[in-house]
Amino acid sequence: HALRGDLLLNGLETMLEENFVKQRQALIRSLISQRILRSSNVIRAMEAVPREKFILEEYRRSAYIDTPLPIGEGQTVSAPHMVAIMLEELDLKKGLNVLEIGAGSGYSAALMAEIVEPTVSDLNKGHVTSIERVPELINFARDNLKRTGYSDRVSIVFGDGTLGYPERSKEMLYDRIVVTAAAPHIPVYLRAQLNKNGIILVPVGDTFMQTLIKATKYEEKMEFREVCNCMFVPLIGEDGFRF
Ligand code: SAM
């Protein structure tokens, strides 16, 4: 009986997993038809990373609804279309180094890792470093990344991301910086830690509504572009919102 029970459970798990794969494919098709998803490397990453494994148990069946979902501590994992918009704007390539502010569930970090380093890890090339200020979420993100096989391509770091990653900023500038929380302005430390020809993406506005700003750093100047309107949880810290 125990054996039959196990077989039944295994069968059920396989069915659920196949269902998630189908739902993931349907969501990707929808984002492609809305012209939100356009690049083959972004599409491939969204196909590869199982969003359901970055979601709390009680919301898992909603993993492929195009909406933000609670991840505890008053925070959220962003909606898939918003993640797709950010990934497209970031213009990620193999070997680039990425700094993310706001690891949350670890989902967007896994997607970026999938593009900048599809295979092996190297701390100085094709690595994603993601900073998070809520200790409980550090564990959540690390567990999710471990279960999905991304822990050696993504480092989750505890701290105030409005300061960037000062421990490494002397030796390392980032090719891409993405802030996944609403900021009153582009944090100055992040500008300084961006490489030449680098791109930084930040939702800038008040705590209710923001504009996603894309800034590209050239020799002497920075060029700014407004991407779209968005709604993110606040970036809380020294050079962010102070509550
Ligand atoms: N990228 C995440 C994902 O894929 O699940 C979603 C991030 S959620 C919208 C924003 C996150 O930013 C929250 O987890 C929040 O705790 C974090 N955050 C806010 N202010 C921060 C700061 N100063 N430094 C680091 N993380 C911060």
Side-chain angles (χ1 to χ4, degrees):
H1 282 280
L3 188 62
R4 251 176 62 194
D6 274 358
L7 278 175
L8 257 168
L9 269 181
N10 280 341
L12 214 61
E13 261 168 35
T14 313
M15 261 170 63
L16 277 177
E17 216 144 276
E18 281 170 4
N19 203 9
F20 278 133
V21 173
K22 281 194 185 128
Q23 290 182 35
R24 191 182 316 142
Q25 286 165 344
L27 176 62
I28 290 168
R29 275 199 303 276
S30 156
L31 293 173
I32 292 173
S33 72
Q34 295 173 69
R35 299 191 197 288
I36 292 171
L37 272 179
R38 298 180 302 266
S39 312
S40 56
N41 60 356
V42 179
I43 295 171
R44 197 180 35 74
M46 295 216 54
E47 283 167 351
V49 182
R51 188 173 190 252
E52 74 275 13
K53 298 206 167 127
F54 292 81
I55 304 282
L56 291 174
E57 182 75 48
E58 57 265 47
Y59 299 108
R60 201 154 285 160
R61 65 200 162 109
S62 306
Y64 292 101
I65 299 176
D66 193 4
T67 180
L69 289 169
I71 53 174
E73 314 304 321
Q75 306 303 324
T76 54
V77 52
S78 303
H81 72 270
M82 189 43 68
V83 178
I85 290 172
M86 292 180 114
L87 289 175
E88 288 286 354
E89 292 297 333
L90 278 171
D91 191 22
L92 297 170
K93 293 178 183 78
K94 201 168 169 213
L96 293 186
N97 274 319
V98 182
L99 179 66
E100 177 181 54
I101 315 303
S105 67
Y107 176 62
S108 51
L111 286 164
M112 295 192 286
E114 190 63 43
I115 302 174
V116 296
E117 188 45 88
T119 48
V120 277
S121 76
D122 174 347
L123 262 183
N124 297 307
K125 219 169 121 269
H127 196 78
V128 178
T129 303
S130 188
I131 308 180
E132 177 54 59
R133 66 177 281 275
V134 178
E136 289 79 2
L137 292 176
I138 299 265
N139 295 332
F140 183 55
R142 282 190 184 145
D143 286 350
N144 295 340
L145 290 161
K146 195 167 176 198
R147 273 189 299 125
T148 47
Y150 289 98
S151 25
D152 58 348
R153 293 182 262 166
V154 179
S155 306
I156 303 290
V157 179
F158 171 70
D160 174 5
T162 65
L163 307 175
Y165 191 13
E167 288 86 343
R168 286 213 78 194
S169 64
K170 281 192 189 69
E171 53 200 278
M172 171 97 157
L173 292 176
Y174 294 90
D175 304 305
R176 301 290 185 262
I177 300 181
V178 56
V179 179
T180 66
H185 54 259
I186 302 182
V188 288
Y189 300 95
L190 298 185
R191 277 186 189 222
Q193 289 170 33
L194 185 65
N195 221 340
K196 218 171 47 192
N197 297 320
I199 295 174
I200 178 169
L201 214 52
V202 189
V204 177
D206 55 34
T207 53
F208 177 65
M209 191 131 177
Q210 309 88 38
T211 305
L212 185 62
I213 303 289
K214 173 182 182 170
T216 311
K217 188 176 194 172
Y218 297 108
E219 287 291 347
E220 300 290 325
K221 58 170 182 124
M222 276 191 116
E223 206 175 84
F224 300 90
R225 196 168 70 75
E226 295 185 0
V227 177
C228 61
N229 289 330
C230 51
M231 289 169 90
F232 279 86
V233 292
L235 179 74
I236 300 168
E238 213 172 296
D239 199 20
F241 288 104
R242 297 162 176 236
F243 292 115

